[in-house]
Amino acid sequence: MKQTLHESETSMLQAIPLRKQRDYRLLWSARTTSITGSEVSRLAVPLTAVTMLAASPTEMGLLTSAAAVPALLLGLQAGAIADRLKRHRPVMVACELVSALAAVSVPVGWFLGVLTVPWLIAVALIIGSASVLFKSANFQHLAAVVDPTQRTAAMAGFQASYSAASVAGPSLAGLLVQLLTAPMAVLVEAFSFLASALMLRSIRTHEDHTPAVSKGMWRDIVEGLRFSTTHPVIRSLLAAGTTINFFATAYIAVHMLYMVNTLQIPQGLLGALIAVSGVGGLLGAWATTRLAKRFGENRILLATVLFFPMDIVLVGLLDGSLAFKITVLAISSAATGAIVVSFATCLGAIIMREAPAEVRGRVNATMTFAVQGVMALGGVFGGLLAEQVGLRSVILICAVGIALSSVWVWTSPLRPRRRPLTQQPHQTSPTSQAATEAHYLRIRTTR
């Protein structure tokens, strides 16, 4: 009887568009609100350190790194914790409330005259740690809220949130800093976390996740790592994502210097180009949802990975009048924004499809750990290499490096000749599903 009711609810969800599903709207709105608040804080917190606290370059470096440290230190553990949970939403609400308290301490500390740079670093570490755990739980929770046939559209919706926040967040931050001062602008982030927690609390979907059997944190983490590196599809995505982020971060490390010093792009236009990329991301999210229904996530991912280096090649070879350069950069930025969102959407959907529920949180955490951890190395690589070979040469090297990511994807079972792609999005064939489950069972029995 219970199974019949569940099947009935599933068929109803399939028939209702996501935009009309109350719980998905709440989940999407919560993330969009929280991300926009965080984008405001990305400008307000450093400005607080520089203008109000006279932070040194070393302190600014520590403050910048503090946001990424939790992903490296806690990312894998967060995935293991998410797999152990029966209900993920209470943890997500708690994470948002902790983040709200940490954020509100900034204006309170400033008002009391006790705010310091170490205080800001501690706030960044707390919010970063809560974010790592939140993301691991959210990945699992999405599977409960959204029907499997609609997960690509749901992923696209979340990617659209990031793109919208990248467009609206910096502009809103600049306005708030001028009106309220930098420390008070951080209040917006606190309120966004609180609003997110309230919306998440209002979701009614029942979670029926079966917790993974745990044999200790370390062994659980190793199991997630082993699955991610031995499953042929997930291994290829892990390698491709790591390759892309390494060389993309190396490119970002010299990008601003190259744009200003070599291409002579006015500084005031750099923000506009970033906004254009965000708009492209919104278009990419819209297009991916529709294309995935026709071609499937596999084909889209195979196609988008080929276009990744094109923007960097254009930037590396660009020359001519200022008007020509701005036009090319604007078109290229919009296209790249769409491609990145499309790739990320399909990558997330494929991972959710291929990874069994028992290990899904750890697989997602392993992916996050790898692709974020390698960013620190990529930035150092780009900066040091630029000292030796010059800015333009580094950019072209990065384009070649990113192009290598297509090798991982195109030699994987995602390729049409190895894997049938006529199935509907998110629907794994019985043979493929059985193979994945057998693969997971082999890992558990060999521990």
Side-chain angles (χ1 to χ4, degrees):
M1 181 64 179
K2 185 176 181 180
Q3 183 177 359
T4 303
L5 288 174
H6 178 70
E7 291 175 353
S8 176
E9 292 174 354
T10 300
S11 62
M12 289 176 62
L13 284 175
Q14 292 178 2
I16 302 175
L18 283 176
R19 66 180 182 277
K20 296 183 179 180
Q21 294 182 26
R22 174 184 176 276
D23 286 352
Y24 174 73
R25 291 202 310 268
L26 285 169
L27 183 61
W28 181 86
S29 299
R31 289 307 294 145
T32 302
T33 302
S34 182
I35 294 167
T36 302
S38 296
E39 285 293 320
V40 171
S41 183
R42 284 182 61 185
L43 177 63
V45 169
L47 280 178
T48 299
V50 172
T51 62
M52 304 292 186
L53 303 176
S56 67
T58 299
E59 288 175 326
M60 289 303 297
L62 292 173
L63 181 59
T64 302
S65 300
V69 167
L72 296 176
L73 298 182
L74 304 175
L76 297 177
Q77 295 91 323
I81 292 172
D83 285 338
R84 296 179 184 181
L85 298 175
K86 182 176 179 62
R87 298 178 61 214
H88 298 92
R89 190 162 61 253
V91 174
M92 294 161 62
V93 172
C95 288
E96 295 291 72
L97 292 177
V98 169
S99 296
L101 287 174
V104 81
S105 75
V106 173
V108 171
W110 171 251
F111 179 77
L112 297 176
V114 295
L115 187 65
T116 62
V117 173
W119 185 314
L120 293 179
I121 293 173
V123 168
L125 288 172
I126 292 171
I127 293 177
S129 299
S131 176
V132 168
L133 183 55
F134 180 98
K135 290 177 181 178
S136 294
N138 182 67
F139 193 74
Q140 286 280 30
H141 182 62
L142 181 64
V145 174
V146 178
D147 182 79
T149 60
Q150 296 176 311
R151 286 175 183 168
T152 299
M155 290 283 186
F158 283 119
Q159 292 296 328
S161 295
Y162 288 104
S163 296
S166 70
V167 175
S171 300
L172 179 60
L175 178 63
L176 290 173
V177 167
Q178 289 183 356
L179 295 177
L180 304 175
T181 73
M184 296 304 294
V186 182
L187 265 179
V188 173
E189 183 180 31
F191 286 133
S192 72
F193 286 133
L194 181 59
S196 174
L198 293 175
M199 284 185 277
L200 292 170
R201 183 68 179 81
S202 301
I203 294 176
R204 299 171 184 168
T205 299
H206 174 70
E207 292 188 82
D208 57 357
H209 177 254
T210 302
V213 178
S214 175
K215 293 186 178 180
M217 177 63 72
W218 176 246
R219 296 186 70 179
D220 289 348
I221 290 173
V222 170
E223 182 179 80
L225 290 169
R226 185 179 293 125
F227 184 92
S228 301
T229 55
T230 57
H231 188 285
V233 170
I234 294 177
R235 180 179 61 223
S236 68
L237 296 180
L238 180 64
T242 303
T243 303
I244 289 171
N245 267 27
F246 177 83
F247 287 102
T249 308
Y251 167 70
I252 291 172
V254 301
H255 172 259
M256 201 66 68
L257 285 172
Y258 179 78
M259 295 288 262
V260 174
N261 296 337
T262 303
L263 295 185
Q264 301 295 312
I265 304 297
Q267 296 182 25
L269 292 178
L270 295 178
L273 291 174
I274 295 174
V276 168
S277 178
V279 173
L282 293 173
L283 294 175
W286 175 82
T288 302
T289 301
R290 287 150 181 79
L291 292 173
K293 293 180 180 179
R294 180 173 181 180
F295 301 107
E297 297 87 355
N298 293 15
R299 290 188 187 277
I300 297 175
L301 189 135
L302 286 163
T304 53
V305 75
L306 296 176
F307 289 97
F308 257 107
M310 292 187 63
D311 172 62
I312 301 179
V313 171
L314 284 174
V315 171
L317 299 178
L318 189 58
D319 200 359
S321 67
L322 179 61
F324 175 75
K325 287 187 286 190
I326 293 297
T327 301
V328 172
L329 288 173
I331 296 173
S332 177
S333 295
T336 300
I339 290 168
V340 168
V341 166
S342 183
F343 177 86
T345 297
C346 294
L347 183 144
I350 292 171
I351 289 176
M352 189 170 287
R353 180 189 72 200
E354 295 289 338
E358 296 87 351
V359 76
R360 187 179 291 146
R362 281 166 285 175
V363 170
N364 181 58
T366 299
M367 180 71 69
T368 301
F369 175 82
V371 299
Q372 289 192 0
V374 78
M375 291 173 70
L377 300 176
V380 174
F381 171 80
L384 293 177
L385 189 61
E387 296 283 351
Q388 304 298 320
V389 301
L391 295 172
R392 191 183 295 269
S393 297
V394 169
I395 286 176
L396 294 176
I397 290 171
C398 290
V400 174
I402 290 177
L404 295 176
S405 62
S406 61
V407 176
W408 295 108
V409 176
W410 278 84
T411 56
S412 75
L414 294 169
R415 191 174 177 182
R417 65 182 179 84
R418 296 189 180 185
R419 184 185 184 91
L421 296 173
T422 55
Q423 60 197 36
Q424 294 296 319
H426 293 300
Q427 291 182 340
T428 306
S429 66
T431 303
S432 175
Q433 184 174 3
T436 298
E437 292 175 354
H439 180 76
Y440 175 61
L441 288 174
R442 282 197 302 272
I443 288 177
R444 289 196 63 86
T445 55
T446 56
R447 290 198 314 177

